[in-house]
Amino acid sequence: MEAAAARCVQEVIGYYRLAGRTKFKFQNYEGIRLETFYRQSYCESYYVLWQVNGEDRAAIAKHTIPNFIPLERISDAFFPHDIDTFVRVLHDFLLAYVSRREQLDELKELCKDNPNPIAASSNLRSRGTIIFSVKTPEQSHIDVELIYGNLASELPTKVSITEAQSSRNFDAEQQIFLENKLLEAYKLAF
């Protein structure tokens, strides 16, 4: 009977993990664990711990949120008076960041054995940009810059595509990158 009860507890923990957000108590803190995932696989978890100082008075004490995510701005807007919204907005930022990072890794993996290699760089953390070059069969280079003006989105807000010494119009390809995840957009555009 004890094993069955333990299994039930593990199932409940699994259900909470599927939701991506788990509230808990730890020592003198209350906290939230935010699960991140991409393409049906778990990535890393992030934590926010706070201490409650009387009624409706709480202060974030510790966290594992990356420093480029505007935790202070989100906290000022929603914490502690609307913790549900605070958690939802913060989770959106984390999921978008993980998605952009994993999308770039997928593109690099796809193009690892490509006869027309891609040179990619990213500054996903502070500025939210991805820049890469595609070498065409004609030996020219197409430069793609994706700008993520909304760090809570997995899709770019601005795309610039240029080809050296060419006046080619890339409006259709730019729209593809605005509407699709990176790997799908790359496959559709090139």
Side-chain angles (χ1 to χ4, degrees):
M1 191 66 156
E2 202 171 298
R7 181 66 189 139
C8 286
V9 168
Q10 289 301 316
E11 284 182 24
V12 169
I13 290 170
Y15 294 142
Y16 278 110
R17 192 167 184 216
L18 285 172
R21 305 171 189 150
T22 308
K23 190 174 179 184
F24 61 90
K25 290 187 184 230
F26 175 72
Q27 295 175 353
N28 295 330
Y29 300 100
E30 289 186 33
I32 191 87
R33 177 177 65 193
L34 300 168
E35 300 286 352
T36 60
F37 37 86
Y38 182 74
R39 294 205 190 271
Q40 301 172 344
S41 294
Y42 285 107
C43 296
E44 61 272 14
S45 301
Y46 294 94
Y47 297 86
V48 177
L49 299 174
W50 63 88
Q51 289 182 316
V52 177
N53 306 323
E55 281 187 35
D56 290 336
R57 295 188 59 210
I60 293 176
K62 300 177 183 187
H63 66 83
T64 61
I65 306 302
N67 64 358
F68 53 88
I69 292 186
L71 177 62
E72 187 173 326
R73 189 180 83 210
I74 298 166
S75 175
D76 288 347
F78 304 110
F79 189 83
H81 58 278
D82 192 352
I83 289 181
D84 289 340
T85 301
F86 167 76
V87 169
R88 185 176 38 79
V89 170
L90 182 58
H91 201 210
D92 288 347
F93 274 88
L94 292 168
L95 289 172
Y97 162 66
V98 168
S99 178
R100 292 189 305 268
R101 183 192 67 205
E102 296 299 315
Q103 289 176 53
L104 182 59
D105 288 348
E106 284 179 336
L107 180 63
K108 287 178 180 178
E109 185 64 30
L110 172 78
C111 298
K112 190 168 37 173
D113 299 322
N114 190 337
N116 300 314
I118 290 180
S121 68
S122 68
N123 193 344
L124 288 175
R125 294 180 183 236
S126 60
R127 289 195 307 262
T129 60
I130 295 175
I131 300 169
F132 63 92
S133 293
V134 179
K135 189 175 180 183
T136 67
E138 297 81 28
Q139 301 304 311
S140 71
H141 291 274
I142 297 174
D143 297 316
V144 180
E145 180 179 20
L146 308 174
I147 299 171
Y148 296 85
N150 177 3
L151 293 179
S153 174
E154 65 183 353
L155 299 177
T157 54
K158 184 178 179 191
V159 177
S160 172
I161 303 176
T162 57
E163 185 173 11
Q165 303 171 349
S166 171
S167 59
R168 181 175 163 194
N169 183 317
F170 288 98
D171 288 347
E173 290 84 355
Q174 289 172 344
Q175 194 62 37
I176 289 170
F177 278 96
L178 288 170
E179 296 172 353
N180 295 279
K181 289 184 178 181
L182 183 55
L183 185 61
E184 289 84 7
Y186 174 80
K187 288 177 180 178
L188 291 168
F190 303 112

